[in-house]
Amino acid sequence: MNRLLLNCDIGESFGSWTMGLDAEVMPFIDCANIACGFHAGDPSIMRKTVSLALSHGVRIGAHPAYQDLAGFGRRSMAYGAQELQDLLHYQIGALDGICRAQGGRVSYVKPHGAMYNDMMANPTQLRAVIQAVAAYDRQLPLMLMATRDNSAAQALGDEYGLTLWFEAFADRAYDSAGRLVSRQTPGAVHHEPEVIIGQALTIARGDALTASDGSALHLKANTLCVHGDNASSVAAVQRIREALDRQSAP
């Protein structure tokens, strides 16, 4: 049984608009992927979410995105490599400053939404993201998607001396290559708590998932994500935490 870090996308409210159930989720996760203001979040939301994470001893990760509040960062946008690196440095630095003011630090980076999906599909973009994180602080791990074959991404991380944390999802369906099924496809997001918990434990045991085409899919992951904007995932997160702890106990 692998000791998976449980992470959650969090701090995704904006102004008076509320997204997710951050206070309910935070006690049960290891890592909080905090929005940095480009797809969600604002300075006050970031401060409050950092404070909540620190009070629970949760690791704080920067969750940068394309500059797309209206689309929640889920729309692909055309950026050159340098522009992309500038976006990442701006957002990581903003969250890191808010952390430092409260006695904390950003401890890893996980891109959000379309930026995350695009870097997994485009090796040139993945290189730009890895370069950006390494230039900011080579000690920060980069979280990216575990697929059927992680070797190409691992080679890029090794080239820049950057630690990679491969991530799997408890509440999403996978295709045969180990990519997430598009949210536009029926069944792409799991909403039944028992299904979400079952998938979490299957990944933690290293057993095969069933891909969308019916094939067996093994994912080698370091961390497991539940989405803070999926009410069923929030409802399941305590049971996932308890189940993972039981499975990994000696």
Side-chain angles (χ1 to χ4, degrees):
M1 186 75 176
N2 296 321
R3 175 61 171 90
L4 289 179
L5 297 172
L6 189 58
N7 79 79
C8 186
D9 300 345
I10 211 161
E12 293 183 320
S13 299
F14 183 80
S16 60
W17 180 76
T18 300
M19 166 69 86
L21 299 168
D22 296 357
E24 287 83 350
V25 169
M26 196 71 80
F28 304 108
I29 61 175
D30 300 296
C31 302
N33 318 318
I34 299 179
C36 301
F38 274 25
H39 78 282
D42 58 42
S44 294
I45 296 295
M46 291 161 71
R47 174 184 55 79
K48 293 173 184 176
T49 311
V50 165
S51 177
L52 183 63
L54 292 174
S55 70
H56 287 281
V58 172
R59 302 182 199 190
I60 293 169
H63 198 37
Y66 294 144
Q67 197 165 11
D68 181 27
L69 273 175
F72 199 64
R74 287 180 175 162
R75 300 181 292 192
S76 290
M77 305 179 77
Y79 287 99
Q82 187 59 62
E83 291 178 300
L84 186 59
Q85 291 181 42
D86 293 343
L87 282 181
L88 287 159
H89 290 160
Y90 187 97
Q91 294 175 81
I92 298 167
L95 184 64
D96 201 26
I98 289 172
C99 287
R100 285 171 179 253
Q102 298 188 53
R105 287 294 306 273
V106 165
S107 62
Y108 65 94
V109 177
K110 176 191 171 181
H112 166 82
M115 181 188 290
Y116 185 96
N117 291 331
D118 290 349
M119 78 181 193
M120 294 305 304
N122 184 339
T124 300
Q125 184 154 335
L126 179 58
R127 180 180 291 273
V129 171
I130 287 174
Q131 284 179 315
V133 176
Y136 186 86
D137 184 347
R138 204 177 300 274
Q139 301 305 309
L140 295 180
L142 172 66
M143 195 179 291
L144 73 170
M145 192 186 304
T147 64
R148 186 178 290 278
D149 182 0
N150 299 331
S151 59
Q154 186 63 64
L156 268 179
D158 292 345
E159 182 178 338
Y160 291 91
L162 197 69
T163 298
L164 303 181
W165 287 352
F166 289 100
E167 175 186 41
F169 293 83
D171 56 2
R172 294 294 304 275
Y174 283 90
D175 67 18
S176 60
R179 308 286 188 187
L180 297 180
V181 172
S182 168
R183 287 177 177 268
Q184 307 306 314
T185 303
V189 180
H190 302 319
H191 294 290
E192 304 80 8
E194 296 303 326
V195 173
I196 295 169
I197 295 165
Q199 182 155 308
L201 290 178
T202 297
I203 294 167
R205 288 192 299 265
D207 293 342
L209 299 175
T210 301
S212 58
D213 67 349
S215 63
L217 174 67
H218 286 90
L219 297 175
K220 294 183 178 180
N222 310 106
T223 182
L224 183 73
C225 179
V226 293
H227 284 101
D229 61 345
N230 181 346
S232 298
S233 293
V234 173
V237 69
Q238 181 176 0
R239 293 171 63 192
I240 292 173
R241 170 85 281 154
E242 292 169 350
L244 290 177
D245 288 347
R246 283 197 303 273
Q247 290 284 352
S248 61

